[in-house]
Amino acid sequence: MQTLMMLVRRNMRMYLSNRSGVFSSLFSMIIILLLNAVFLGSVNENYLAEFIILEENQAQYIIGSWLMAGIMIVNVVTVTMSTLSLMVEDEEKHKLAAFLVTPIHRTTLTLSYIIAACVNAFLLSIATFIFSQLYLYISCESLLSLSAALKICGVILIAIFSMVTLFVCVTILVHNMGTFSAISGTVGTLIGFIAGIYLPMGSLSENIQNVLKTFPVLYGAALVRQIYTEEAVADAFKTLPVEAMKGYKEYMGITIKWGAEEVSMLQGLFILFGSGIIFTVIAIILLKCKKASDR
């Protein structure tokens, strides 16, 4: 256990001390914020205006909450991948081989990367949450309640579990930083689309929506959005029929539907956690195959 904790601290320190690595993992968030400032903000306000006409402050509260929720999930993905890149880097620089000639087992080494990725992703998520609250307070003088904040922490933890186990499977299969950087760049580019930030779900064709619904990250984004926007949306649509509010939530990816059935929060959590379990099993199988190939 002591060896594991030492390795975890080493992996966390390697990531956090690499300023360029931290910046690159937060680059997608910066791009989203810039796009929102340039045109996404007004586009999303136009989407909202198709359902209801609100005062500017109310509209900003809803759109800002929706945006910050998406950014939190994006950061979970990018920080996770950036931390796990250390596993590939260690293998490429033969540091992994040096570890393996000691009594340290490969399972312990792999677990140290996983725990470090989980902790780093959660720490950066907390920082992102604080930033989001400052953003919402400055832009529309609104803050989430303590109970909402705790719910978000719970959802983020499960989302981190799902994303870390997924990318561990990818990392085990990759053996050089060039390939991993290409994968990371592709994921960083596409994550805004997959999470339904650049284009709301309702603006996409049914076939594309069905494809996106196969990605667990979309359910993580929807769950966080539900908590972030719950108060703002309920207050804005309180004088309108329930169908109007449901229509807006579905259009903006705050809720996800399979057929005519809306995916509940419990079902969304089950999808995230269940996918994490599946990826864990796959990672264990891949790890055993890798051990056999090393012999």
Side-chain angles (χ1 to χ4, degrees):
M1 181 61 71
Q2 185 178 1
T3 301
L4 175 61
M5 290 299 102
M6 288 177 62
L7 289 169
V8 169
R9 285 196 295 270
R10 176 255 182 188
N11 295 337
M12 289 179 60
R13 187 166 58 249
M14 291 285 287
Y15 168 75
L16 295 172
S17 62
N18 183 358
R19 294 181 181 179
S20 61
V22 174
F23 176 80
S24 64
S25 62
L26 299 178
F27 189 67
S28 294
M29 176 187 78
I30 296 170
I31 292 296
I32 291 169
L33 288 172
L34 289 175
L35 288 175
N36 183 71
V38 174
F39 75 94
L40 280 182
S42 58
V43 169
N44 288 331
E45 286 182 12
N46 290 336
Y47 288 142
L48 178 60
E50 293 179 10
F51 292 86
I52 186 173
I53 302 299
L54 297 172
E55 295 181 2
E56 183 178 356
N57 192 57
Q58 279 185 300
Q60 287 181 349
Y61 185 25
I62 293 176
I63 299 304
S65 300
W66 179 88
L67 179 70
M68 289 298 116
I71 284 175
M72 285 202 70
I73 289 296
V74 166
N75 281 352
V76 167
V77 173
T78 55
V79 172
T80 294
M81 288 205 74
S82 186
T83 303
L84 288 175
S85 69
L86 183 61
M87 185 174 175
V88 180
E89 184 180 346
D90 282 348
E91 181 174 0
E92 188 177 52
K93 294 182 177 180
H94 307 295
K95 293 180 181 180
L96 200 58
F99 282 129
L100 291 174
V101 299
T102 69
I104 302 173
H105 294 289
R106 183 183 286 276
T107 302
T108 302
L109 278 170
T110 305
L111 190 58
S112 71
Y113 295 114
I114 293 172
I115 295 174
C118 289
V119 175
N120 281 341
F122 187 70
L123 290 176
L124 267 294
S125 293
I126 295 298
T128 306
F129 177 75
I130 294 172
F131 168 78
S132 74
Q133 293 306 284
L134 289 173
Y135 175 90
L136 290 174
Y137 185 76
I138 292 171
S139 62
C140 44
E141 298 183 355
S142 299
L143 292 172
L144 290 177
S145 65
L146 178 59
S147 61
L150 292 175
K151 288 179 183 177
I152 287 170
C153 286
V155 172
I156 288 297
L157 281 172
I158 298 176
I160 288 171
F161 169 62
S162 177
M163 293 302 101
V164 168
T165 52
L166 167 61
F167 291 120
V168 164
C169 295
V170 175
T171 306
I172 291 172
L173 295 172
V174 177
H175 306 290
N176 63 81
M177 282 302 296
T179 303
F180 191 86
S181 296
I183 294 172
S184 297
T186 303
V187 172
T189 302
L190 294 178
I191 188 61
F193 292 101
I194 297 172
I197 296 174
Y198 297 148
L199 292 171
M201 288 290 287
S203 65
L204 303 174
S205 68
E206 186 176 348
N207 288 334
I208 294 177
Q209 288 187 40
N210 290 335
V211 171
L212 294 182
K213 289 172 187 177
T214 63
F215 291 91
V217 67
L218 179 64
Y219 298 91
L223 291 173
V224 177
R225 283 176 184 143
Q226 286 177 37
I227 301 169
Y228 257 92
T229 64
E230 181 178 15
E231 181 181 333
V233 172
D235 182 61
F237 285 82
K238 62 185 177 183
T239 59
L240 295 179
V242 176
E243 288 72 20
M245 183 172 66
K246 286 185 176 181
Y248 176 72
K249 285 184 174 183
E250 184 183 352
Y251 189 88
M252 296 300 291
I254 298 172
T255 56
I256 305 296
K257 274 190 173 182
W258 272 109
E261 296 296 322
E262 183 180 300
V263 177
S264 68
M265 181 165 286
L266 184 61
Q267 289 171 330
L269 290 172
F270 179 79
I271 290 171
L272 278 178
F273 189 76
S275 64
I277 295 295
I278 292 170
F279 295 139
T280 299
V281 173
I282 295 172
I284 291 171
I285 294 171
L286 292 174
L287 195 58
K288 286 182 178 180
C289 293
K290 192 165 188 176
K291 283 182 181 179
S293 67
D294 288 342
R295 292 171 187 165

